[in-house]
Amino acid sequence: MTRFLPLIDVPQGDLFNALSRIGPVLLSNPSLPLPVNSYVLLDGNASNELDHIIPWLDEGAEKVVLPLASAKEVIGLIPQERLVLLLDAVSVSAVSDKVRNAVSGVLLKTPEIDLDLISSVSTFFSKSAIFVLVDSPNIPSIYNIRSLLQSGANLVLPDSQLTLDVSSSTHLNVADVFLAPLTSDRADGLFPTIVCTDTGHSMGLVYSSIESVRESIITGKGVYQSRKHGLWRKGETSGSTQEVVSIRLDCDADSLEFRVIQHGSGFCHLERQSCFGEASGLPLLEKTLQSRFENAPAGSYTKRLFNDPALLRSKILEEADELSRAETEYEIAFEAADLIYFALTKCTAHGVGIADIERSLDKKAKRVTRRAGNAKPQWSASKPAPAPAPAPAPVPSVTAINPNAPIQMRTTVLEGLSEEERASLLRRPVLKSDEMIEKVKPIVSEVRSRGDAALLEFTAKFDKAKLSSTCVFPPYSQESMKIPLDVKEAIDKAYSNIRKFHAAQIDGSTLKVETMPGVVCSRFARAISRVGLYIPGGTAILPSTALMLGIPAQVAGCREIVFATPPRPDGSISPEVMYVAHLVGASAILKAGGAQAVAAMAYGTETVPKVDKIFGPGNQWVTAAKMLVQNDTDALVSIDMPAGPSEVLVIADHTANSAFVAADLLSQAEHGIDSQVVLVAVNLTSEHLEQIEIEVDKQARALSRVDIVRQSVAKSLIVKATTVEEAIEYSNDYAPEHLILHLENAPDKVQFILNAGSVFVGPFTPESCGDYASGTNHTLPTNGYARQFSGVNTLSFQKHITSQEITSDGLKGLGPIVATLADCEGLQAHANAVRIRLGTMNL
């Protein structure tokens, strides 16, 4: 808060340094460069035409103070918050409403402190700050200053009346003026003080006294008041000293903020920067980079960045290009973070800190003059006019996708990475589930309340199919299941393999354990009665997902199996899905997709059966609807698992076939632009790695979905590892949906896999086999959830029930234990249920 505005003629010397620590200064004779936090007074002989005023604002002046005539000329041309009106007492009545509403403050020149006049000016300029300059050689008393402040005005004092020495009849001590409004609500008279870095990040809470603040203002050192030991000059014994950047009062003038440059081990007694824990975000990155600049091991990636300007320049340009291509919120945040990392690396190498960057940003924000904003020619998206003679090729636009550019993955090296850098490699897209849930709520609510009518309306709106009924029920007509013979035979064989593997998982036994004599505990499985299976579709044909969800439901013995799949424009369901529904014994097929299908299965409608658990992949609308309904106790429905973009992680060593590896990577990259594709290269030669990259580029160009692949591959990653053990450790941290092992003696490595949705072992086990027909399930956890979730399996469609049977002799042994524990918890009825039985026995 500005409570005191010193009027400075020459901004230099110890007095000016002290004044600049406690707030803005008003410059009566401004010159460039301007000090930080300056107001500029343009009066007297100064030329006040617009062309002479705006440059001061562009150079960082917080505000310009102009006489009435000049102010009238610039109203509407410079921002209100940057303009202060200079008035004398007799000119107040000449101010129009237009002028009054166009300024943020008034500097009133007056021969004496006239509180009535000041009060009336404050009333007239009710939305403006009031500054009062007393044009008198006599200095005001501290009492006068406090009275002025209580009237809502701020005192302007010429530096000729200020001193760093003790206040006298001719000069006021700077600290005395600054401290005049300060009041304490504590019995000890101290003031709570927040200590921050020079960029405003808090380091701790301390206390200040009049004496400690006075010393900090004058010396520029961090000085506080210990409640036990008196004045505390920070770093006097530890060496962790502070340079004071600014001291500010809060709006109530009962607490302070110190911004400081901290030296030594840190502010906290635990030898860290902040008492509130380690720094995060940009301050943490700055600290890490500064440490690496001083101590990075020779030959490390970070050391190379600091020592090789060409490499660092290339990385900055690469990340700027990737940021310009990014589309989703996650991608933009991820690529912006990468660009900031490399930009701050360059800053660190040249001694530039975040505080310097923020000062530059503040100066840019204060500019009044606006440039046209056009890009330089080499970055412009417009094509240059054709030249009659050959000329060098123009630099392509950073936002355009060059179809001739190699389709390449990014590369990084595991060795030497910090914990923060390693963590960034493991990150997935941030799922904005809360935002999506808000979007699907109206859809779910409509289907829940209006049933079939809403369902049919949403199907017409989103699936572009006008239906007269919501569901198809068995028996299904042969015409609806008519498919080519080769497709039928492929589905039949896939059905056989998947059923064989899932049937082997069935838990049909009853577990019985006698925990003590006469106490038998049991556990047995029962199928979930009613399940809903979401099959993405519409124009696409996805019989594989119908097989992967329908077969384990059938094997588990679910009584009702409801398919939900978007209809084709004519209202029919793809015959391949119809055929699978017939094979697995689906009891209904809901002709709807999206959130409306999930809502119909969760709550049921007039024709759609309600289910107990919903399975299946889908887009973000489907995922959000599943998350919404599972948390509604009225729905009483659960879901299989969280879902995210498709993923594959391939670990490859010297035995890997380059074409095989590339094909496996692309089989997931074609799913969508947000697919997650990672190659962990174990000590591969540069030639071997280059061959894989050539194969990726060559095979990608032959795909019909090359435009999707081009974007997903550009965001995908090659991680260089030195050993198989290091590679597997990284994979376990990543927890991929699909893990492919192109390794020597690959079967021996499976025992070390801790986190993965499904593992594909050896060179002849492509991930696509698991997707369709090997027998395992392709509905797998993504987004790192393989740490906690299994893929869909037969047990996913069962729940387990426990039972216990206790004989009278068993209760004699167990009963006293139970009664004692119930008494311990204060649950008398629990204990009584045991004791009433024991009382009937002849103990």
Side-chain angles (χ1 to χ4, degrees), residues 57-93:
L57 295 171
D58 285 349
E59 288 302 321
E62 296 280 344
K63 300 177 187 290
V64 291
V65 183
L66 301 177
L68 181 58
S70 299
K72 289 179 178 179
E73 297 298 320
V74 300
I75 287 173
L77 299 175
I78 65 175
Q80 174 195 11
E81 66 272 13
R82 309 288 293 281
L83 180 58
V84 175
L85 184 62
L86 177 64
L87 289 175
D88 55 35
V90 298
S91 302
V92 175
S93 60

Side-chain angles (χ1 to χ4, degrees), residues 763-780:
F764 299 103
T765 315
E767 179 270 330
S768 47
C769 287
D771 269 356
Y772 290 104
S774 64
T776 61
N777 207 287
H778 79 197
T779 308
L780 302 168

Side-chain angles (χ1 to χ4, degrees), residues 578-737:
M578 291 295 301
Y579 180 62
V580 175
H582 164 69
L583 288 179
V584 302
S587 51
I589 303 175
L590 168 59
K591 296 183 291 184
Q596 61 272 23
V598 173
M601 292 190 291
Y603 299 102
T605 71
E606 298 91 329
T607 56
V608 181
K610 179 192 168 8
V611 302
D612 301 313
K613 188 172 183 179
I614 298 174
F615 295 79
N619 60 23
Q620 56 184 340
W621 295 85
V622 172
T623 301
K626 286 169 64 178
M627 296 173 68
L628 175 62
V629 298
Q630 79 160 339
N631 289 315
D632 184 356
T633 54
D634 287 341
L636 285 177
V637 69
S638 65
I639 65 172
D640 46 1
M641 68 186 81
S646 298
E647 304 172 348
V648 68
L649 186 145
V650 178
I651 303 179
D653 65 8
H654 66 282
T655 66
N657 182 301
S658 299
F660 291 2
V661 171
D664 285 342
L665 294 168
L666 292 172
S667 69
Q668 287 301 115
E670 73 172 349
H671 272 292
I673 63 172
D674 56 355
S675 295
Q676 307 293 296
V677 178
V678 180
L679 168 61
V680 183
V682 182
N683 207 23
L684 294 189
T685 65
S686 57
E687 294 78 13
H688 195 165
L689 200 54
E690 182 181 7
Q691 189 58 43
I692 293 174
E693 292 186 287
I694 290 172
E695 282 289 338
V696 167
D697 184 65
K698 181 178 72 174
Q699 293 182 34
R701 293 179 188 278
L703 299 174
S704 61
R705 297 166 70 89
V706 62
D707 291 339
I708 291 174
V709 169
R710 188 185 302 279
Q711 296 181 68
S712 59
V713 168
K715 291 175 287 193
S716 299
L717 196 63
I718 298 173
V719 179
K720 292 182 178 180
T722 54
T723 65
V724 172
E725 291 73 22
E726 185 182 39
I728 291 177
E729 181 184 7
Y730 178 78
S731 175
N732 284 332
D733 288 342
Y734 189 85
E737 178 189 17

Side-chain angles (χ1 to χ4, degrees), residues 773-802:
S774 64
T776 61
N777 207 287
H778 79 197
T779 308
L780 302 168
T782 62
N783 224 45
Y785 281 109
R787 297 182 187 92
Q788 303 97 349
F789 286 85
S790 306
V792 165
N793 56 76
T794 303
L795 299 185
S796 304
F797 293 83
Q798 295 180 309
K799 74 269 188 182
H800 287 82
I801 303 171
T802 61

Side-chain angles (χ1 to χ4, degrees), residues 97 171 184 287 308 474 479 491 498 628 665 734 771 784 802 813 836:
D97 287 344
H171 291 83
S184 176
K287 179 181 177 183
D308 187 345
E479 186 65 26
I491 290 176
I498 298 167
L628 175 62
L665 294 168
Y734 189 85
D771 269 356
T802 61
I836 200 167

Side-chain angles (χ1 to χ4, degrees), residues 346-543:
K346 178 163 186 174
C347 292
T348 303
H350 290 80
V352 175
I354 291 174
D356 302 305
I357 297 170
E358 289 189 350
R359 279 191 289 272
S360 182
L361 287 172
D362 288 344
K363 188 172 181 180
K364 287 178 172 62
K366 293 172 185 174
R367 287 186 64 86
V368 175
T369 305
R370 295 290 177 247
R371 297 181 297 177
N374 298 323
K376 292 180 180 179
Q378 66 265 40
W379 305 117
S380 175
S382 60
K383 295 181 180 179
V395 177
S397 164
V398 295
T399 57
I401 296 177
N402 181 358
N404 297 316
I407 300 175
Q408 290 181 320
M409 304 167 70
R410 296 177 296 152
T411 302
T412 190
V413 181
L414 278 180
E415 186 178 17
L417 289 183
S418 67
E419 291 184 9
E420 295 81 9
E421 291 168 326
R422 184 183 176 92
S424 72
L425 295 181
L426 300 173
R427 291 194 190 106
R428 310 300 213 282
V430 177
L431 301 178
K432 300 289 187 180
S433 55
D434 53 345
E435 296 178 9
M436 284 307 304
I437 286 174
E438 287 303 314
K439 292 179 180 179
V440 301
K441 273 184 179 178
I443 298 173
V444 171
S445 178
E446 282 290 297
V447 174
R448 179 182 179 184
S449 61
R450 296 175 51 230
D452 285 350
L455 189 58
L456 292 173
E457 288 174 12
F458 286 128
T459 303
K461 179 178 180 180
F462 297 123
D463 298 323
K464 309 303 180 186
K466 293 185 178 180
L467 307 177
S468 58
S469 62
T470 61
C471 293
V472 180
F473 298 96
Y476 306 120
S477 69
Q478 290 298 317
E479 186 65 26
S480 70
M481 298 184 288
K482 189 175 182 180
I483 55 178
L485 181 60
D486 61 335
V487 175
K488 178 181 181 301
E489 290 176 347
I491 290 176
D492 287 344
K493 187 55 183 175
Y495 174 86
S496 175
N497 290 348
I498 298 167
R499 183 180 176 93
K500 185 175 183 179
F501 183 69
H502 285 76
Q505 302 169 22
I506 194 74
D507 185 1
S509 62
T510 298
L511 172 69
K512 285 192 174 185
V513 177
E514 188 173 27
T515 58
M516 62 188 295
V519 180
V520 177
C521 296
S522 303
R523 179 178 182 268
F524 50 89
R526 293 290 184 267
I528 297 173
S529 296
R530 305 169 299 181
V531 294
L533 312 181
Y534 188 88
I535 318 296
T539 56
I541 301 172
L542 291 174

